[in-house]
Amino acid sequence: MAKIQEMTQLSPTMEEGTIVKWLKQEGDSISPGDILAEVETDKAVMEMEAYDSGVILKIIQGEGTKLKVGEALAVIGKPGEDISALLANLPKPKPSGGAEQTSAKSFPSPSASIDPGDSKKGMVSGVGETKTSSTETKISPSSQNLVPASNSPNQGQTAASLPTAERTNGTSSQQRGTLRVLASPLAKSIAIEHGIDLHLVIGTGPEGRITKKDVLDSLNKGTGGMRVGSEVPVADEIVNLNGMRKTIAKRLTESKQNLPHFYLNVDVNAKALESFRKEINEFQVSQNPNSPIKVSLNDIIVKATAAALKLHPKVNASFQGDSILQFGRVDVGIAVSIDGGLLTPVIRDANKKSILQISSEVKELAKKARDRKLKPEEFTNGTFTISNLGMYGISRFTAIINEPESAILAVGSVEDKPVVENGVVIPGRILSLTLSCDHRVIDGAVGAEFLKTLRSFLEKPNLLLAVG
């Protein structure tokens, strides 16, 4: 009997997926475990396996289609089997994210310019589109002259009778949204040719109508609002949310709403840390001149954090409703920025690994993350997360906790700052760390003790050689 192959949930947070590529075609024989297609989830491009044996009788959804988990992808059955009734009873897939179908036209730009290409269409663009005579040009609310529309509070006034400030640059955007320009066709044509904003031209014709002479006078006097650079402003753009961005928005909003965050900050004297890193890298170059493993400050921070977590299990924990789970393992997630969002590949048992092992693993996982090739087991079930923006020159910041974890460490840049040693002010190299804590799990003193230990490891990194 023919069966439906559904969009399967390939990761714990997956709600929908996009078919990137079909690896099997109609008529192909398959067995459980065969890879049917590559599917882009909210985290990565992953392989979708078959769960039934048979022949692919029908591919229902083609490449590029986005479907929710559980929706039909294909029909698998015996060769020659009649599947017409099965196909007829399939529910039609609902479009994912109705907002994605919304045209940008529903959200007009607040300041579109005179467009000569639309002058024959007889339309005035703005909040809603109004038909006008064929001589009027498409002009946005922010580039129309100051004659009120019928619903304006100044109804009955002409541009000439309005206060001078309202007829020039002083006009508010709210007033412009309800006013349209009065100008002769020739005046509009000249304005279009020279990129003049008719809002800034004072009309001397009947009822304040702008004439050719008014435009030429403004042009000669330089008071016509000549635009600098491009005559057409950049239009607003609607960027539809991809699956990853939707997940980020949902989970971080929930974290910020549900977790009582509090923050602890500490400055670390990073001179010894930088020297320690330099010594490691110089040694690596001497041992492997062709392919040395270069260690970053972040690799050492990961090792130091893992060592501190092992000594402070109350920070390496998770809130479980009516209990607190203290993890026996130390799995540290590393926030990695990728196109369209971020992922947190996890270094398993980071406290048991050397700095060189951590460095190699971070590089490998970061590359897989940017290529969207991470497997679920490589980015889920972490116990703690580190987010480092120091490479962007960020001094310090606060991060949002990645549930179900109870803390996240925000790492800033190393900066030159004066420090006091033995009562003397000397140049220093300072690294700022900020710990975000879930107060349901971690009290202030607990978080402070953890940071104290972490700072000791970073200011005396040789201590890391003594911990495992």
Side-chain angles (χ1 to χ4, degrees):
M1 181 178 177
K3 296 183 179 180
I4 297 295
Q5 172 70 40
E6 299 177 340
M7 175 67 77
T8 52
Q9 187 175 32
L10 302 177
S11 72
T13 59
M14 177 180 170
E15 296 181 354
E16 59 186 16
T18 300
I19 303 171
V20 175
K21 183 179 180 181
W22 277 103
L23 302 179
K24 297 289 186 180
Q25 304 301 322
E26 291 184 4
D28 289 353
S29 297
I30 59 170
S31 301
D34 287 352
I35 306 301
L36 295 177
E38 293 180 348
V39 175
E40 181 180 9
T41 71
D42 58 327
K43 298 291 187 182
V45 176
M46 306 175 70
E47 296 176 337
M48 183 176 64
E49 298 180 0
Y51 292 96
D52 298 294
S53 298
V55 173
I56 298 180
L57 302 177
K58 178 71 175 178
I59 292 179
I60 300 172
Q61 302 295 344
E63 295 176 358
T65 305
K66 180 183 290 185
L67 296 171
K68 294 187 179 299
V69 171
E71 291 186 333
L73 293 176
V75 179
I76 299 173
K78 298 178 181 178
E81 188 173 353
D82 183 10
I83 59 172
S84 56
L86 184 63
L87 293 175
N89 292 327
L90 284 178
K92 293 182 179 180
K94 299 178 181 178
S96 59
E100 296 184 10
Q101 310 300 323
T102 305
S103 167
K105 191 174 181 180
S106 301
F107 301 89
S109 169
S111 59
S113 69
I114 302 173
D115 185 352
D118 287 337
S119 60
K120 296 180 181 180
K121 298 179 183 178
M123 300 296 293
V124 174
S125 68
V127 184
E129 295 182 339
T130 307
K131 293 184 177 180
T132 66
S133 69
S134 60
T135 60
E136 292 197 4
T137 310
K138 182 179 180 180
I139 300 172
S140 73
S142 64
S143 56
Q144 298 167 354
N145 206 23
L146 308 181
V147 179
S150 59
N151 61 347
S152 169
N154 294 321
Q155 183 175 3
Q157 287 184 295
T158 64
S161 64
L162 289 174
T164 301
E166 295 187 23
R167 290 187 281 117
T168 56
N169 291 337
T171 306
S172 69
S173 59
Q174 182 178 2
Q175 287 172 319
R176 292 182 181 186
T178 59
L179 301 173
R180 62 184 180 86
V181 70
L182 277 181
S184 69
L186 184 55
K188 291 179 180 179
S189 177
I190 296 172
I192 290 170
E193 180 181 352
H194 294 281
I196 295 177
D197 186 349
L198 290 179
H199 270 110
L200 307 181
V201 179
I202 300 176
T204 60
E207 297 186 345
R209 182 179 294 271
I210 298 172
T211 65
K212 169 188 173 182
K213 182 178 181 300
D214 298 328
V215 176
L216 292 177
D217 286 346
S218 295
L219 182 61
N220 293 333
K221 296 177 183 178
T223 60
M226 295 286 292
R227 290 188 176 85
V228 179
S230 174
E231 295 181 4
V232 180
V234 178
D236 293 345
E237 179 183 3
I238 295 176
V239 180
N240 294 323
L241 298 183
N242 58 24
M244 178 180 295
R245 180 53 58 185
K246 288 179 180 178
T247 300
I248 292 171
K250 178 182 177 182
R251 295 198 64 199
L252 294 189
T253 299
E254 290 173 349
S255 175
K256 200 63 172 162
Q257 291 175 339
N258 298 334
L259 274 61
H261 285 59
F262 76 94
Y263 310 96
L264 300 172
N265 180 265
V266 67
D267 286 338
V268 175
N269 188 333
K271 273 193 172 182
L273 180 63
E274 291 184 315
S275 297
F276 184 68
R277 178 204 176 198
K278 182 180 179 182
E279 290 174 1
I280 293 176
N281 288 337
E282 287 176 349
F283 177 77
Q284 286 299 306
V285 170
S286 68
Q287 297 298 307
N288 303 289
N290 295 325
S291 57
I293 300 175
K294 290 294 187 73
V295 170
S296 69
L297 287 180
N298 198 63
D299 299 330
I300 305 173
I301 293 171
V302 172
K303 174 63 178 178
T305 301
L309 287 170
K310 192 64 178 177
L311 296 176
H312 297 274
K314 291 182 180 180
V315 178
N316 191 46
S318 175
F319 186 75
Q320 301 291 306
D322 56 357
S323 63
I324 294 174
L325 171 64
Q326 292 185 2
F327 297 106
R329 55 192 169 89
V330 179
D331 295 342
V332 180
I334 313 296
V336 175
S337 175
I338 66 172
D339 185 28
L342 60 87
L343 290 170
T344 52
V346 177
I347 308 297
R348 304 291 177 191
D349 297 316
N351 60 307
K352 300 178 182 178
K353 295 177 178 176
S354 70
I355 295 172
L356 292 180
Q357 287 176 311
I358 290 172
S359 180
S360 296
E361 198 168 329
V362 167
K363 290 179 177 66
E364 179 184 355
L365 290 174
K367 184 179 185 304
K368 292 177 74 172
R370 294 187 179 101
D371 293 341
R372 305 293 293 274
K373 295 296 184 182
L374 283 177
K375 298 177 181 178
E377 59 268 23
E378 294 175 319
F379 62 82
T380 57
N381 296 323
T383 64
F384 187 91
T385 297
I386 296 175
S387 179
N388 190 336
L389 294 179
M391 66 286 293
Y392 298 103
I394 301 301
S395 300
R396 64 180 60 188
F397 67 102
T398 56
I400 300 175
I401 298 170
N402 184 24
E403 288 190 280
E405 298 166 15
S406 295
I408 183 170
L409 183 70
V411 181
S413 60
V414 178
E415 297 182 326
D416 292 315
K417 290 183 178 180
V419 297
V420 178
E421 288 188 5
N422 301 320
V424 180
V425 178
I426 62 173
R429 297 281 289 165
I430 301 301
L431 169 67
S432 177
L433 304 176
T434 303
L435 183 69
S436 303
C437 303
D438 179 354
H439 215 326
R440 299 173 303 176
V441 178
I442 302 170
D443 292 329
V446 172
E449 288 292 334
F450 167 79
L451 283 180
K452 181 180 178 180
T453 301
L454 178 57
R455 180 168 61 181
S456 296
F457 282 140
L458 294 177
E459 291 186 338
K460 300 175 183 178
N462 287 331
L463 293 175
L464 294 174
L465 302 177
V467 296

